[in-house]
Structures are given as structure tokens and as C-alpha cells.
């Protein structure tokens, strides 16, 4: 979109697009870049073009441009600080991603330092989501930073590197809604004890599981035994390996789930797990099945019907099954939508190109 796309208006009259309510305008800007990571240039280009539409579009486009920040080097950090911003508007970050020890083939590359990390965190007025990454699984982030005023509204924490609580730090005042963990990284039990006081608000949990990975769900339960009764959204991702028995039990014990996502589980394990769920409030179920998935030669609607007969799924309103083709397959992507069951549940079957797991 560019300024040339704006509809003409009578002389002296404001264009209709310039008169949109602020809430609607903010939503239009948000939807225009939905799903685009902050590192993708297309996202920045779209937002800059939106700022050209009308004067009233400049502020929401600029706010969205600043709302998601990915910093993986000293150079990117300097660019972050050098960007001009209105002095009367605090910086609100819907997502801050800090990536340490990433070393591209660049002689001028300098990794993000602890001092620069502190400066970034302290400069923001509010940080709502924090994602910490490290290619070498090093831990240069000081958890004391979460005591800064900028983290008072932190609601989402995603960890792709280990965090060792410093001596003397007894608890953190953050109140998380969402926590994402990867079993490729071994988090110490002391981290979950540190978060225990903030877990009473946790409603969403994402776990990436590998065969030899750390039992992070067990450490979460040790620190906060009430967690299964309060989770509304649970996402489990693995790479076609059986889940540990304790994790199966954890999923079964989640009694308040409304959304369940199972990616990379073998079909037989899914069929064995669903009848044993303790939740009766599930409204959305997302599954990923193997690229070779077939249902005894029957149409996919038969598989949907098999699932919808489960007692635990009696409240289901949305069922999505995704099958990702292997590279080199001559099969065409497809999307089938059907409404089945006495509840008129929307069932979607998608065949897509294979993408890597997180």
C-alpha cells in the first residue's frame, strides 16, 4: 500500500481513511504484518508504506514498527538506540528477542554484551514479551533485569537458552500468561522455583520435546503443583518420537484446557492420548500428522468422525489436522473444510509443504 492508493477527496475534506477510529486503525496496521517476524524486511517496508497513507497513520505504523524488536549483535543494538522516537511517548515492546553469540561470517560482528542488554531493557517503557536465544546455549542474561520497571507488565517468556538464577534472588514479581520452553536446553530447577510465585497467572504453556531432553514439565510441576488445573492452552511439539510417560500424564491431568496443539506426535499416540484427557472444555484441537498419513484408505472425514466420538472432545468446535509433505513430493497442497458431528464442528484438513520444527 502507498500514498497513491488513497482515494481522492473533495478539496479541504479529509480522506475517509484518515478518519478511521484509532482502535480500528491500530487493528488494520496489526493485521497488515501479522505473522511476519521483525527480522523480515517486508514487515518494515509494509509499515513504512502505511505511514504514507495519511498523517493519522504515521503514529500507529511507527508504533508497530517499534513494537517487535530482534537484536542479535552490538550493531543492531546501536541501531535500536539511534532510531529517532517521540520524547513524549514511552517505548512499548510487544516482543523483544535477544539472540546471543550468533556469529555470521562478518569480521565487523560484535556479539550482544551484558551491558548493552541492560541498556536495552532499561530504555523501554514496557516489555510485554521476552524471547531469549543462544546458539551455543550460553547464559549472558542476568535474571535481576526482570526486576526493572520495564518488565512489570511482562506476560510472555520464551527460553531457548539456559538461565541460572543469581545468588540472592529469591523471587520475581512478573506475572506470566504464557511460557515457552525447549527441552534442548536444560533449565535448572531453581529457575522454576524462582518463577513459582508468578505462575499463578500462567494460562498457556508451550513445550518442545526431544527424546533425550530435559524433563522440564516435571520441574514445573515440582515448583507449581496446581499448574495442570489452570492451563487453558497447551502446545506440545516433538519430532515423531514417543512422549515420556510423565508428560503423557501431565497432559491428561490438565483439567481446564480449551486449546490443545499436538505437533509431531505419531498417530497412534494421539489416538491413545485423547480418550484419557480429563478436560471437558476443549473447544479447539490442532494436530500434525506424518507425511505418510492415511486412514485405512478411507476419506479424511472418517478420521475426523473417529476423533469426534471421543467423550473428551464433546465440546470441540474447531479441529485442524495438518500433514506436511516431504521435500521432492509431487503431491499438491490442499485444504479441505467440513462441518461434522452433532455440534457442527468445523474440521479442516491441510496438506502443506514441510517446514522445520522450532
Amino acid at each position: 500500500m502507498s500514498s497513491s492508493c488513497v482515494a481522492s477527496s473533495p478539496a479541504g475534506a479529509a480522506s475517509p481513511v484518515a478518519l478511521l477510529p484509532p482502535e480500528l486503525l491500530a487493528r488494520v496496521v496489526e493485521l497488515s504484518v501479522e505473522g511476519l517476524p521483525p527480522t523480515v524486511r517486508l514487515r518494515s517496508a509494509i509499515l513504512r508504506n502505511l505511514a504514507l497513507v495519511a498523517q493519522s497513520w504515521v503514529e500507529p505504523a511507527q508504533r508497530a514498527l517499534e513494537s517487535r524488536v530482534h537484536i542479535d549483535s552490538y550493531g543492531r543494538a546501536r541501531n535500536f538506540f539511534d532510531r529517532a522516537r517521540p520524547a513524549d511517548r514511552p517505548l512499548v515492546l510487544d516482543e523483544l528477542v535477544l539472540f546471543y553469540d550468533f556469529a555470521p561470517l562478518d569480521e565487523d560482528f560484535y556479539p550482544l554484551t551484558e551491558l548493552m542488554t541492560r541498556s536495552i531493557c532499561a530504555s523501554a517503557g514496557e516489555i510485554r514479551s521476552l524471547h531469549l536465544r543462544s546458539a551455543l546455549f550460553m547464559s549472558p542474561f542476568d535474571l535481576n533485569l526482570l526486576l526493572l520497571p520495564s518488565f512489570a507488565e511482562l506476560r510472555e517468556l520464551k527460553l531457548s537458552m539456559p538461565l541460572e538464577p543469581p545468588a540472592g534472588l529469591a523471587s520475581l514479581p512478573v506475572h506470566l500468561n504464557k511460557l515457552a520452553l525447549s527441552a534442548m536446553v536444560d533449565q535448572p530447577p531453581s529457575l522454576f522455583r524462582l518463577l513459582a510465585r508468578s505462575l499463578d497467572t500462567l494460562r498457556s504453556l508451550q513445550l518442545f520435546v526431544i527424546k533425550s531432553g530435559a524433563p522440564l514439565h516435571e520441574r514445573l510441576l515440582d515448583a507449581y503443583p496446581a499448574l495442570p488445573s489452570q492451563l487453558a492452552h497447551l502446545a506440545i511439539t516433538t519430532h515423531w518420537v514417543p512422549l515420556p510417560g510423565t508428560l503423557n500424564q501431565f497432559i491428561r491431568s490438565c483439567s481446564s484446557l480449551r486449546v490443545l496443539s499436538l505437533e509431531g506426535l505419531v498417530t497412534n499416540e494421539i489416538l491413545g492420548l485423547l480418550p484419557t484427557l480429563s478436560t471437558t472444555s476443549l473447544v479447539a484441537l490442532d494436530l500434525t500428522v506424518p507425511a505418510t498419513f492415511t486412514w485405512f484408505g478411507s476419506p479424511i472425514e472418517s478420521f475426523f468422525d473417529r476423533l469426534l466420538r471421543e467423550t473428551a472432545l464433546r465440546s470441540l468446535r474447531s479441529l485442524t489436522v495438518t500433514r506436511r509433505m516431504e521435500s521432492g513430493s509431487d503431491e499438491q497442497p490442499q485444504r479441505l473444510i467440513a462441518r461434522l458431528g452433532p455440534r457442527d464442528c468445523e474440521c479442516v484438513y491441510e496438506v502443506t509443504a514441510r517446514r522445520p520444527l522450532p
Side-chain angles (χ1 to χ4, degrees):
M1 185 185 296
S2 68
S3 55
S4 61
C5 300
V6 181
S8 60
S9 301
S15 169
V17 297
L19 300 176
L20 288 174
E23 297 82 3
L24 180 57
L25 179 53
R27 184 58 177 157
V28 169
V29 172
E30 178 184 330
L31 289 174
S32 69
V33 291
E34 188 175 38
L36 294 176
T39 51
V40 175
R41 291 183 180 178
L42 177 61
R43 184 179 187 275
S44 299
I46 291 174
L47 292 172
R48 289 191 175 97
N49 282 333
L50 287 177
L52 299 175
V53 173
Q55 182 62 36
S56 61
W57 290 53
V58 175
E59 197 277 338
Q62 178 69 19
R63 185 183 290 272
L65 187 63
E66 295 178 339
S67 67
R68 298 186 181 278
V69 176
H70 184 137
I71 299 177
D72 60 9
S73 66
Y74 182 88
R76 283 189 185 269
R78 286 296 346 152
N79 292 337
F80 170 81
F81 285 115
D82 293 341
R83 183 180 298 166
R85 298 184 180 89
D88 60 343
R89 175 164 58 82
L91 180 60
V92 177
L93 298 180
D94 291 328
E95 179 185 49
L96 174 61
V97 182
L98 300 177
F99 191 3
Y100 299 92
D101 62 60
F102 176 65
L105 299 177
D106 183 352
E107 294 181 357
D108 297 326
F109 174 82
Y110 295 95
L112 191 60
T113 65
E114 291 187 30
L115 178 61
M116 188 61 75
T117 297
R118 173 173 290 277
S119 300
I120 293 168
C121 296
S123 67
E126 186 177 309
I127 301 173
R128 297 171 179 171
S129 173
L130 178 64
H131 182 186
L132 300 176
R133 301 179 57 193
S134 170
L136 302 178
F137 301 146
M138 298 175 68
S139 181
F141 185 88
D142 183 358
L143 276 168
N144 281 302
L145 293 177
L146 295 185
L147 300 175
L148 290 171
S150 54
F151 286 111
E153 297 300 321
L154 185 70
R155 294 296 178 262
E156 179 177 347
L157 180 61
K158 184 174 183 179
L159 300 179
S160 301
M161 68 180 206
L163 284 181
E164 188 68 43
L169 184 60
S171 65
L172 289 168
V174 296
H175 298 284
L176 300 176
N177 292 331
K178 184 176 181 179
L179 179 64
L181 302 168
S182 170
M184 294 179 66
V185 182
D186 191 8
Q187 301 291 353
S190 55
L191 172 66
F192 300 110
R193 289 195 293 269
L194 191 66
L195 290 172
R197 293 186 183 180
S198 71
L199 293 180
D200 58 343
T201 57
L202 193 66
R203 296 295 179 269
S204 178
L205 177 65
Q206 295 182 355
L207 295 175
F208 176 55
V209 183
I210 60 175
K211 188 173 184 179
S212 58
L216 300 181
H217 61 284
E218 295 181 14
R219 294 173 188 175
L220 267 172
L221 277 175
D222 288 342
Y224 198 73
L227 183 61
S229 65
Q230 68 185 45
L231 283 178
H233 177 213
L234 178 63
I236 305 293
T237 301
T238 186
H239 196 193
W240 315 114
V241 297
L243 298 181
T246 54
L247 181 53
N248 270 302
Q249 182 56 42
F250 175 79
I251 299 171
R252 294 186 181 105
S253 65
C254 292
S255 56
S256 301
L257 283 183
R258 295 184 61 79
V259 179
L260 176 62
S261 176
L262 302 174
E263 180 171 350
L265 272 69
V266 295
T267 308
N268 285 342
E269 185 165 21
I270 293 173
L271 295 176
L273 177 63
L274 294 178
T276 63
L277 296 177
S278 60
T279 180
T280 57
S281 56
L282 206 64
V283 296
L285 175 64
D286 296 327
L287 306 174
T288 302
V289 294
T292 56
F293 171 79
T294 59
W295 187 246
F296 303 110
S298 301
I300 187 64
E301 289 89 345
S302 299
F303 181 63
F304 287 144
D305 185 64
R306 163 69 177 79
L307 296 177
L308 292 175
R309 290 200 301 267
E310 297 296 347
T311 302
L313 305 185
R314 62 190 178 191
S315 300
L316 208 64
R317 294 294 180 269
S318 173
L319 171 59
T320 303
V321 174
T322 303
R323 179 166 65 88
R324 296 193 173 93
M325 299 178 291
E326 297 292 342
S327 56
S329 171
D330 57 1
E331 188 174 1
Q332 295 299 312
Q334 61 173 290
R335 179 181 172 91
L336 181 147
I337 301 178
R339 304 195 74 89
L340 299 175
R343 302 173 304 281
D344 200 24
C345 178
E346 181 179 79
C347 303
V348 179
Y349 178 60
E350 292 185 296
V351 181
T352 67
R354 184 176 65 86
R355 67 174 175 84
L357 291 169

